[in-house]
Amino acid sequence: ASAFRNPIAPTVNVGGNPTDVAVDDATHTAYVTNGNDNTVSVVDTVHCRAGNTSGCNQVAPTVAVGVGPVSDVLDTATSTVYVTDTGTDTVSMIDAATCNAMTASGCSHVPTVIVGYGSDYAGVDTANHSVYVADAGDNAVSVVDATTCNAMVQIGCGHVSTVALPGAPTGLAVDEATQSVYVAVTFGLVVPGSVAMIDAATCNADTTSGCRRSPLAAHGGINPGWVGVVPSTHTVYVAGGPAGAAPTS
């Protein structure tokens, strides 16, 4: 019985200060943002996973991105991994079709798009081919057209819309089922924060009429942070920060 006490999960070596993971099921690849190294590690999920650790005993190859990558998200429609670079106020775009666990031919070419100040978390709405980026320093969310601004095409990267928020965004998640973008907004460590809700049906890459409206907001805990959506249960989870709780809605 003691053999099953406190089991240690298998690990793989990546870069310094890993902060987020995006998985591409099509290429069996996990992309890990390394905040201290300005890189993204590329992990082979066929040979490095819970059931097969044969490929975990080596350092995963990396892709150079902008300064201070915080999070990454995959757009399956364009096979693009969007990486938020908080230190350069950009989003790096990795071509998942040519930079993955099987091939590295496209890993040296990583274009970027300029977004707002302090870009941290991002989410993709594939139905509206839009990428939403939380800009903590600007109290705003940038809206990028994923069709014309991705790893292969950058013709539309100069046209980025923004949505003003009442405070600094600290987390973001997209619920495609309800066409809603949930954004955790903080006002500091004392005043309770909120969760802003952007209507993705009227604020996206094609339609910006709703981007000029003040987003509806629900009360959250003090200093809310990470946001997650579970479509099957119609539930939004908001994690509290150092002085916060973890409210759900």
Side-chain angles (χ1 to χ4, degrees):
S2 61
F4 297 95
R5 186 179 301 166
N6 298 324
I8 299 175
T11 61
V12 57
N13 291 324
V14 292
N17 188 29
T19 54
D20 200 9
V21 182
V23 176
D24 187 353
D25 293 330
T27 62
H28 308 290
T29 304
Y31 298 88
V32 184
T33 52
N34 303 313
N36 288 353
D37 294 348
N38 305 331
T39 62
V40 171
S41 293
V42 182
V43 180
D44 180 354
T45 60
V46 172
H47 301 99
C48 185
R49 54 186 172 85
N52 182 354
T53 60
S54 61
C56 295
N57 59 352
Q58 57 187 353
V59 177
T62 59
V63 182
V65 292
V67 176
V70 174
S71 71
D72 56 354
V73 63
L74 171 69
D75 181 13
T76 55
T78 62
S79 295
T80 298
V81 180
Y82 291 89
V83 184
T84 59
D85 309 314
T86 190
T88 47
D89 307 328
T90 59
V91 174
S92 297
M93 297 173 286
I94 300 172
D95 184 359
T98 61
C99 181
N100 54 59
M102 298 300 294
T103 178
S105 62
C107 293
S108 61
H109 177 65
V110 181
T112 60
V113 53
I114 298 174
V115 291
Y117 176 57
S119 56
D120 47 26
Y121 291 95
V124 173
D125 186 343
T126 54
N128 292 322
H129 48 87
S130 302
V131 180
Y132 298 88
V133 183
D135 304 320
D138 283 346
N139 293 352
V141 170
S142 293
V143 184
V144 179
D145 187 341
T147 300
T148 61
C149 185
N150 55 63
M152 297 298 294
V153 179
Q154 292 87 51
I155 190 173
C157 290
H159 305 283
V160 177
S161 302
T162 58
V163 184
L165 298 173
T170 54
L172 182 150
V174 177
D175 184 1
E176 295 193 55
T178 62
Q179 292 192 298
S180 299
V181 182
Y182 293 91
V183 187
V185 178
T186 183
F187 304 103
L189 297 177
V190 179
V191 180
S194 65
V195 178
M197 293 168 282
I198 300 171
D199 183 1
T202 61
C203 181
N204 54 62
D206 293 326
T207 304
T208 59
S209 59
C211 297
R212 294 183 292 272
R213 304 171 188 164
S214 297
L216 297 173
H219 293 296
I222 295 176
N223 195 30
W226 178 87
V227 181
V229 174
V230 181
S232 61
T233 60
H234 307 288
T235 305
V236 180
Y237 293 90
V238 184
T248 62
S249 60

